[in-house]
């Protein structure tokens, strides 16, 4: 485990950077479920991210992106990232504070290696698979009956099925991470969500 030396910047604690010394590039993601999805899709495409020098690093939330970018900059390790569109402002500020430019447009952010999900990655995966196929994944893993009960809750009855599925995946600790991998396993490789596909293309050696 590698920890950035606090003496390098007394103003803020640096993030823990596991394996960063061996990384060619770090792909920053918000949480563990995003990490699982990126790494599982890479495997399905026959890629060995570790062997390529790509470290997928969950930040524990988008608000930490600035700390990570500054710390990685001190190590001289390039960064890219996959985040939710609602967190775009944190990436802009983080890139600027790390001296990596001031992106004006989303195209600027893409050139810098940062890509955004419209809601979040689970929503992207559910929509890419479709509601019926997502329910098949739930059924195959013993959760369809639980989801049917969830759908009958008054707050859920009027919501579209894709929204119900999205909410269901976030109701229990660990479920998002578990299903991130399972949904990617069932994903048609010709229908990979654009931001996920763009990130993996960007970090190609």
């Amino acid at each position: 485990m590698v920890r950035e030396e606090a003496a390098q910047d007394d103003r803020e604690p640096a993030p823990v950077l596991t394996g960063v010394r061996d990384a060619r590039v770090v792909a920053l993601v918000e949480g563990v479920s995003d990490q699982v999805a990126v790494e599982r899709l890479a495997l399905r495409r026959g890629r060995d991210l570790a062997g390529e020098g790509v470290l997928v690093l969950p930040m524990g939330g988008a608000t930490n992106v600035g700390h990570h970018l500054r710390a990685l900059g001190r190590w001289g390790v390039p960064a890219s990232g996959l985040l939710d569109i609602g967190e775009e402002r944190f990436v802009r500020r983080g890139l600027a504070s790390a001296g990596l430019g001031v992106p004006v447009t989303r195209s600027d952010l893409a050139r810098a290696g940062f890509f955004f999900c419209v809601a979040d990655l689970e929503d992207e995966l559910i929509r890419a698979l479709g509601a019926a196929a997502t329910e098949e994944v739930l059924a195959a893993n013993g959760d369809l009956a639980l989801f049917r009960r969830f759908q009958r809750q008054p707050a859920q009855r009027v919501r579209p099925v894709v929204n119900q599925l999205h909410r269901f995946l976030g109701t229990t600790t660990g479920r998002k991470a578990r299903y991130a991998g399972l949904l990617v396993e069932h994903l048609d490789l010709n229908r990979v969500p654009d931001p996920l596909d763009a990130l993996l293309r960007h970090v190609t050696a």
Side-chain angles (χ1 to χ4, degrees):
M1 180 177 293
V2 178
R3 184 182 292 274
E4 177 63 79
E5 294 294 335
Q8 291 186 6
D9 190 343
D10 293 333
R11 296 169 301 172
E12 59 180 296
V16 174
L17 301 176
T18 305
V20 72
R21 289 189 186 278
D22 301 320
R24 176 180 57 82
V25 61
V26 169
L28 298 172
V29 295
E30 293 190 44
V32 173
S33 63
D34 306 299
Q35 178 189 24
V36 169
V38 171
E39 292 178 341
R40 190 70 57 87
L41 179 59
L43 284 173
R44 285 201 62 198
R45 287 179 164 176
R47 293 182 59 180
D48 173 12
L49 292 183
E52 295 175 22
V54 180
L55 174 65
V56 184
L57 183 65
M59 298 181 290
T63 57
N64 295 318
V65 67
H67 293 318
H68 283 77
L69 287 171
R70 288 188 289 275
L72 289 167
R74 291 193 290 268
W75 281 106
V77 178
S80 58
L82 179 70
L83 297 97
D84 304 342
I85 195 65
E87 318 300 348
E88 184 177 337
R89 65 192 185 280
F90 296 115
V91 178
R92 292 180 185 277
R93 293 173 192 166
L95 288 168
S97 70
L100 299 173
V102 182
V104 175
T105 67
R106 203 157 293 158
S107 294
D108 294 335
L109 288 165
R111 282 190 289 273
F114 286 83
F115 309 95
F116 298 89
C117 302
V118 172
D120 58 23
L121 187 52
E122 287 75 28
D123 177 72
E124 295 275 0
L125 291 171
I126 290 167
R127 292 180 187 280
L129 274 168
T134 303
E135 288 187 356
E136 289 175 7
V137 177
L138 294 180
N141 290 276
D143 281 329
L144 186 59
L146 187 61
F147 175 61
R148 293 290 184 240
R149 290 198 294 274
F150 176 79
Q151 286 181 299
R152 292 194 291 271
Q153 294 179 6
Q156 299 300 324
R157 290 174 188 166
V158 298
R159 306 182 74 193
V161 176
V162 291
N163 297 91
Q164 293 172 341
L165 287 162
H166 180 260
R167 182 70 187 93
F168 177 75
L169 294 185
T171 56
T172 300
T173 301
R175 185 180 285 159
K176 285 178 68 173
R178 178 186 176 214
Y179 273 97
L182 293 170
L183 295 179
V184 168
E185 283 294 334
H186 288 80
L187 192 64
D188 182 339
L189 292 181
N190 293 314
R191 293 178 56 84
V192 173
D194 288 341
L196 182 54
D197 181 61
L199 176 73
L200 283 176
R201 284 190 283 104
H202 185 83
V203 299
T204 299

